[in-house]
Amino acid sequence: MDEQYILQLKNISKEYFGNKVLKEVNLNVKAGEIHALVGENGAGKSTLMNIIFGMPVIHSTGGYTGEIIFDGKTVDIKSPKDALDLGIGMVHQEFMLLPGFTITENIKLNREITKHNPVSRILGDIMKSLDIKAMRKDAKEDLQKLGMDIDEWLPIQGLPVGYMQFVEIAREIDKKNIRLLVFDEPTAVLTESEAEKLLEAMKKISSQGIAILFITHRLDEVLSVSDSITIMRDGEQVSHMNTKDATLAKIAELMVGRKIERVVHEIRESKNNNEIIMTIKNLKVNMPGEEVKGLDLEVKKGEILGIGGLAGQGKIGIANGIMGLYKSSGEVYLGNTKLELNNTRKAIENKLAFVSEDRRGVGLLLDTSIEMNIVITSMQVQNRFLKSLFGIKLFNIKDDKAIRSWALKMIKDLDIRCTGPTQLTRRLSGGNQQKVCIARALTLEPEILFVSEPTRGIDIGAKKLVLDLLVKLNRELGVTIVMTSSELGELRSICDRIAIIYDGKLEGILNPTDSDADFGLMMAGKYGAKEVV
Amino acid sequence: MKEFWKRITDKYGYPKVLITIFLIILCIIAVIQQQNLPGLLKDSLVRIGMNGVLVLAMVPSINSGTGLNFGLSIGILCGILAGCISIELKLTGMTALIAAILMSIPFSVIAGYLYGLLLNRVKGDEMTVGTYMGFSIVSLMCIGWLLLPFQSPDMIWAIGGKGLRTTIALADKFGKVLDDFLSFNVLGEPVPTGSLLFFGLMCVIVWLFFKTKTGVAMIAAGDNAKFAAANGINVNQQRVIGTILSMVLGGIGIVIYAQSFGFFQLYTGPLMMPFMAVSAVLIGGASAKKANIANVVSGTTLFFALLAISLPVINKMMPEGNLSEVIRIIVTYGVILYALTKVGGDN
């Protein structure tokens, strides 16, 4: 039986600094099949691909355990070059093409066909000239295999995005030894008709005996083109099935499903509380990669509202847009007053606070002390922690004593593990850095606290502490919390309601106790389709 | 020993450690050569007082995120212009000095504001743009010095009577007024008390500034612009304020420099002056992203003591040629080169 598989992964495990990201994963890809690999963000798909391609990041972090069998032989892939030599190709999400070169030149890059000329006959192969004619012929054939009818001598620059993707694929299938092609979310940047064309091309490629490993979020594509499906979740392979046995709901459920540890058990009274603290109308945020395209949402006073969705659908953009970090338009009302957009200062003055998802980039001054990190926003916007110098009113300097005592209180209240308030935040662990960010937000005494990806890059123990802290703030201080997270599990563990964002818009609002299938379908943007099926 | 070396270089940085070692070696040689040690010490102090404020001018620009102010020559030109006006007004002594300082400020504020707007348009390339901006303005002012309608016979060319001279002597204007202020003798050599006190005063003012709300905002904007923006700080405004402050200090700095030196050097005189200040603050342990008053004081002391002592010592070792000048150039540009390779190198 084994011989028919082109690629077999057996018990692959991988740790990053003690954090298990892949646990005993098995994957079997037959020759000539389209094998879909689906899973949420962070399920371990990219890490698995990095292992198959022998990316340096794997080996510089201690390698992996398990066995890779390619074409019946156990192989040890140490570098991307090894992978290429074996016949594994990759179609990248970002186009790795030279814009100034023609399609042919891009396809044939570094594999140019050469011919002898008078000089090369004397000076050797290095002086051979390009056989443009043969190269163009090859390129034309490759493009035709994909069902593309385009002049192969056009420059890449100015081609529609969809075409670039095809050129990238053509380059891969031009390699004569190619046996397995990996498509990493190839349709993410394509329009619907382009995506359809791509899927057709994939079928054509697989019919020529090349196996395809297809990584995607779009479940309908999986159902329409793949032969078999492997589903991953939290670094584990949770299921493998043939596509003919699969349904949309089944995949969605497996992708999301996990035991939910509900931190908050009591039924919230605030559910009955319908006072709206913030109304968002037709919000558009121009945040690259996380664009919001007209969102309507209401936030109730005193709740923890979760915002979920897959990466790139725009959930991250919401808080960034309201806080004025990225250009936004639309209307945001706090109670009845309209909030001025694109003005961070105004947002903070209106009792909004934000804990950024980019903790080390936006969230902290890494080479500044914990205490200054905690008080700086309050000092700048609310003029707190200042005292006059020599009794002159106009001349205010920072009040070191007040800063110190407040920082010590915060360190104690939030249990920030550090050597003292003057320690640089760079030296803190991820969880403690996050607590410093939260402490700064709290110092502003906000009414609404936006928290983005609060547990990203934090180890498991600290994750729970951060989540518990958010619940505590909500219950004891009455802060309304809007938490954005890619981890559905953590949203479901503490939120009162969860808004799922798809394609920059609100797909729907669910209760944390709703079924896995509902969450899965909503995240895939197929919730509306459920009733129809 | 290896441990010790690593600890020291980690704490103080290579430039500071190496320059200190070099300085110590020079001092030892000076003793062996039986140089006039009190004289060398006095020369060092004079140079420190002379250049201190110019070095201090680097701090606001570095901390506001525009990097080392290679365009400081613009501020220097403002200071020279103010100095010339004070001479034109026939002022002398302390009055002339104070008038020059006060008059330089509005010029520097305007120049700094415009220059700051420019720097906000070339984010990431401030230091390159600043260098050439400084060169350009110095060259432009070469025309200016010829055309400005100054009349004082102490300043204009003796023959022809139009345009300012290349060097303007200050001996009977405000030369040495600060150096001689409260001056006293130690080991038979006068100490330039006034200049050192003034340098100290400026240091305290800048130090206090960085404790104010604006100062804190400026450091945040320079350290992490994204962070600052996310916390309601107007980054571009802070950069402009930092540039203005730097220019103002540059303008004041050159007036202090000139009173101690005894001359204003016009035309291409200010061309290379920013490099000395840049180099000094870097030796003090500043980087292109962070600087504080301690960096300024230690850097000024080390760099200018090195220059003051190397001159007689090396000239005695090798009387032919001007090796001490070569050393100055190697140290100045070597340190700048070293610091620039460190910019953004830790990612």
Side-chain angles (χ1 to χ4, degrees):
Chain A
M1 271 303 276
D2 273 10
E3 297 82 70
Q4 67 175 90
Y5 291 117
I6 179 82
L7 175 74
Q8 283 185 290
L9 302 182
K10 287 189 172 165
N11 300 328
I12 300 284
S13 296
K14 167 76 193 153
E15 271 183 23
Y16 276 122
F17 312 109
N19 200 352
K20 270 211 162 185
V21 292
L22 287 179
K23 294 164 213 156
E24 310 266 308
V25 174
N26 293 297
L27 185 72
N28 298 304
V29 184
K30 287 181 208 153
E33 76 164 350
I34 299 181
H35 191 111
L37 186 61
V38 294
E40 274 187 278
N41 309 109
K45 292 170 303 191
S46 318
T47 312
L48 199 60
M49 290 309 110
N50 284 342
I51 290 176
I52 296 176
F53 278 92
M55 296 307 265
V57 60
I58 297 296
H59 295 280
S60 65
T61 53
Y64 61 92
T65 58
E67 198 182 5
I68 301 178
I69 300 169
F70 191 81
D71 207 7
K73 287 186 285 285
T74 302
V75 290
D76 181 17
I77 301 170
K78 286 206 183 67
S79 68
K81 192 178 172 300
D82 289 350
L84 290 178
D85 290 345
L86 283 171
I88 305 176
M90 172 95 168
V91 179
H92 298 276
Q93 251 171 326
E94 304 90 31
F95 306 120
M96 303 211 174
L97 298 170
L98 296 171
F101 281 32
T102 64
I103 295 178
T104 304
E105 284 166 328
N106 267 289
I107 291 176
K108 282 293 183 182
L109 192 64
N110 215 14
R111 287 193 313 277
E112 289 88 353
I113 304 168
T114 53
K115 62 180 179 195
H116 268 299
N117 60 25
V119 181
S120 72
R121 279 181 216 286
I122 302 161
L123 293 175
D125 283 353
I126 198 159
M127 296 306 290
K128 274 171 137 180
S129 50
L130 296 179
D131 187 349
I132 302 280
K133 220 169 155 188
M135 280 166 63
R136 283 185 73 158
K137 190 167 147 276
D138 269 15
K140 187 106 201 157
E141 274 171 21
D142 295 331
L143 291 169
Q144 269 163 0
K145 272 187 211 164
L146 297 172
M148 285 264 287
D149 192 23
I150 181 174
D151 183 2
E152 72 284 356
W153 203 244
L154 285 175
I156 292 292
Q157 214 156 25
L159 282 187
V161 176
Y163 281 44
M164 290 194 206
Q165 180 92 61
F166 280 100
V167 174
E168 181 115 354
I169 299 168
R171 183 168 68 193
E172 294 305 320
I173 61 172
D174 184 65
K175 294 169 188 162
K176 295 295 173 247
N177 71 339
I178 199 86
R179 304 291 305 277
L180 172 70
L181 252 183
V182 178
F183 283 73
D184 190 0
E185 297 191 32
T187 54
V189 288
L190 302 185
T191 64
E192 220 155 284
S193 60
E194 284 171 339
E196 253 166 53
K197 249 181 136 182
L198 178 80
L199 297 179
E200 259 167 54
M202 284 170 64
K203 282 184 187 157
K204 273 190 195 156
I205 298 167
S206 74
S207 68
Q208 287 155 20
I210 299 171
I212 291 178
L213 196 52
F214 180 34
I215 304 174
T216 187
H217 284 136
R218 298 192 182 177
L219 299 185
D220 46 349
E221 289 173 0
V222 171
L223 288 174
S224 73
V225 299
S226 69
D227 299 310
S228 61
I229 304 169
T230 295
I231 299 165
M232 289 183 71
R233 184 172 75 220
D234 294 340
E236 282 176 88
Q237 176 211 1
V238 290
S239 178
H240 173 80
M241 61 178 98
N242 287 323
T243 306
K244 56 181 186 292
D245 307 327
T247 64
L248 206 57
K250 197 169 160 191
I251 303 173
E253 186 175 351
L254 282 166
M255 205 168 101
V256 174
R258 67 183 59 142
K259 279 182 226 110
I260 306 300
E261 270 181 56
R262 185 94 179 131
V263 177
V264 187
H265 292 291
E266 88 266 34
I267 305 293
R268 293 292 305 281
E269 289 149 30
S270 66
K271 280 215 172 143
N272 308 323
N273 176 1
N274 278 325
E275 190 186 337
I276 305 293
I277 190 166
M278 178 186 259
T279 313
I280 301 165
K281 281 184 189 161
N282 195 23
L283 179 73
K284 291 182 180 149
V285 182
N286 186 14
M287 179 176 181
E290 287 282 349
E291 215 172 318
V292 183
K293 302 167 185 166
L295 173 97
D296 298 295
L297 187 63
E298 286 181 339
V299 183
K300 291 180 190 171
K301 194 176 167 80
E303 72 172 345
I304 303 183
L305 174 67
I307 299 181
L310 294 168
Q313 302 297 346
K315 65 175 186 305
I316 301 282
I318 299 170
N320 278 296
I322 294 173
M323 293 303 291
L325 270 60
Y326 286 90
K327 201 108 189 97
S328 54
S329 63
E331 290 167 26
V332 175
Y333 292 93
L334 295 166
N336 292 320
T337 50
K338 194 173 173 186
L339 174 74
E340 189 185 331
L341 287 174
N342 301 315
N343 187 337
T344 307
R345 207 180 178 88
K346 273 271 152 35
I348 297 171
E349 280 170 3
N350 280 301
K351 295 275 175 195
L352 305 185
F354 178 46
V355 176
S356 171
E357 69 285 349
D358 184 4
R359 191 166 55 235
R360 296 171 70 85
V362 178
L364 290 170
L365 289 172
L366 287 170
D367 292 314
T368 304
S369 64
I370 294 173
E371 55 182 13
M372 278 314 288
N373 267 287
I374 289 177
V375 302
I376 187 164
T377 316
S378 175
M379 181 192 288
Q380 291 303 323
V381 179
Q382 300 170 332
N383 289 323
R384 284 167 65 202
F385 304 107
L386 291 168
K387 64 174 181 193
S388 59
L389 183 72
F390 312 128
I392 307 166
K393 276 267 157 51
L394 272 171
F395 207 73
N396 283 325
I397 65 165
K398 64 182 185 192
D399 186 348
D400 289 322
K401 231 170 158 181
I403 291 171
R404 177 63 51 85
S405 69
W406 176 258
L408 286 171
K409 178 176 153 26
M410 276 294 161
I411 288 171
K412 189 163 151 276
D413 288 358
L414 305 193
D415 191 25
I416 301 171
R417 303 285 164 83
C418 57
T419 57
T422 54
Q423 192 178 11
L424 302 185
T425 52
R426 185 188 289 283
R427 308 246 158 80
L428 296 175
S429 69
N432 285 311
Q433 285 181 339
Q434 190 65 277
K435 285 182 193 166
V436 173
C437 294
I438 294 174
R440 180 174 58 246
L442 283 186
T443 308
L444 295 168
E445 295 166 351
E447 279 168 10
I448 306 178
L449 175 63
F450 289 94
V451 187
S452 286
E453 305 284 5
T455 62
R456 179 185 279 177
I458 295 179
D459 59 81
I460 293 170
K463 270 185 186 175
K464 190 166 175 335
L465 288 175
V466 170
L467 294 179
D468 287 347
L469 176 65
L470 291 175
V471 173
K472 195 175 128 195
L473 299 177
N474 177 257
R475 298 294 186 273
E476 291 176 12
L477 301 176
V479 183
T480 307
I481 295 179
V482 180
M483 170 165 129
T484 311
S485 175
S486 301
E487 294 198 27
L488 201 50
E490 77 185 31
L491 289 176
R492 293 174 79 179
S493 72
I494 68 166
C495 294
D496 300 315
R497 299 188 302 153
I498 299 167
I500 301 292
I501 308 301
Y502 180 80
D503 194 26
K505 293 193 182 84
L506 180 68
E507 178 75 9
I509 295 180
L510 291 170
N511 286 319
T513 47
D514 284 342
S515 73
D516 292 343
D518 283 347
F519 276 103
L521 286 171
M522 250 193 203
M523 287 168 69
K526 294 278 166 257
Y527 192 66
K530 195 182 76 162
E531 277 81 10
V532 183
V533 174
Chain B
M1 187 64 201
K2 215 174 165 183
E3 272 292 296
F4 177 71
W5 175 251
K6 190 172 165 7
R7 233 180 44 228
I8 293 207
T9 49
D10 278 355
K11 187 164 178 199
Y12 298 107
Y14 280 101
K16 206 172 189 176
V17 173
L18 293 179
I19 297 292
T20 310
I21 293 172
F22 189 44
L23 188 60
I24 293 170
I25 294 172
L26 280 177
C27 288
I28 295 169
I29 298 174
V31 174
I32 297 169
Q33 288 179 342
Q34 294 178 324
Q35 295 269 3
N36 171 13
L37 286 179
L40 288 181
L41 191 67
K42 185 211 106 187
D43 283 350
S44 305
L45 286 179
V46 168
R47 278 174 184 260
I48 291 166
M50 203 162 138
N51 291 282
V53 183
L54 285 173
V55 179
L56 189 63
M58 289 297 152
V59 176
S61 87
I62 292 174
N63 282 340
S64 67
T66 58
L68 299 154
N69 190 357
F70 285 101
L72 188 65
S73 24
I74 299 170
I76 291 174
L77 289 169
C78 296
I80 297 177
L81 185 62
C84 291
I85 294 174
S86 100
I87 296 171
E88 181 74 20
L89 297 175
K90 299 195 173 63
L91 301 174
T92 55
M94 198 57 100
T95 328
L97 181 77
I98 293 169
I101 287 175
L102 291 181
M103 279 189 290
S104 79
I105 293 174
F107 292 130
S108 303
V109 169
I110 294 166
Y113 176 72
L114 296 174
Y115 182 55
L117 293 184
L118 172 77
L119 289 186
N120 280 342
R121 286 165 178 265
V122 294
K123 278 185 191 164
D125 293 321
E126 292 94 346
M127 292 192 270
T128 322
V129 172
T131 308
Y132 290 100
M133 194 64 199
F135 286 173
S136 314
I137 301 288
V138 167
S139 304
L140 191 68
M141 273 308 283
C142 287
I143 304 173
W145 299 130
L146 281 172
L147 298 181
L148 287 171
F150 284 108
Q151 299 294 332
S152 166
D154 295 331
M155 295 195 293
I156 55 173
W157 289 109
I159 302 161
K162 271 210 152 189
L164 296 168
R165 296 177 205 170
T166 48
T167 49
I168 296 170
L170 299 175
D172 54 349
K173 309 296 178 192
F174 55 84
K176 297 275 174 204
V177 287
L178 258 188
D179 275 13
D180 295 341
F181 181 72
L182 291 180
S183 184
F184 55 92
N185 283 8
V186 175
L187 303 169
E189 298 285 350
V191 175
T193 326
S195 295
L196 292 176
L197 278 179
F198 188 80
F199 175 39
L201 176 72
M202 295 311 281
C203 284
V204 170
I205 291 175
V206 173
W207 177 74
L208 276 176
F209 170 76
F210 280 107
K211 291 178 84 70
T212 62
K213 183 180 155 186
T214 312
V216 170
M218 186 181 290
I219 293 177
D223 190 8
N224 184 343
K226 278 200 236 156
F227 172 94
N231 289 285
I233 295 168
N234 185 339
V235 175
N236 281 350
Q237 187 189 13
Q238 290 303 331
R239 288 163 55 101
V240 170
I241 296 175
T243 310
I244 291 175
L245 272 181
S246 181
M247 289 303 179
V248 167
L249 286 170
I252 297 173
I254 192 65
V255 176
I256 304 299
Y257 179 94
Q259 69 80 24
S260 181
F261 187 54
F263 301 94
F264 270 126
Q265 292 169 299
L266 274 54
Y267 300 93
T268 56
L271 198 62
M272 293 303 181
M273 289 192 88
F275 290 91
M276 302 262 272
V278 166
S279 187
V281 80
L282 291 175
I283 288 174
S287 69
K289 293 211 70 172
K290 276 202 162 211
N292 57 33
I293 303 299
N295 297 145
V296 172
V297 175
S298 63
T300 310
T301 310
L302 280 174
F303 185 67
F304 291 103
L306 180 76
L307 294 193
I309 295 172
S310 68
L311 183 74
V313 170
I314 293 178
N315 280 354
K316 191 153 187 178
M317 285 163 72
M318 293 189 197
E320 63 285 346
N322 54 352
L323 197 60
S324 71
E325 178 66 7
V326 173
I327 297 257
R328 180 187 73 78
I329 292 170
I330 291 174
V331 171
T332 310
Y333 297 119
V335 168
I336 293 174
L337 184 62
Y338 174 82
L340 292 185
T341 60
K342 292 276 163 193
V343 176
D346 60 338
N347 289 328

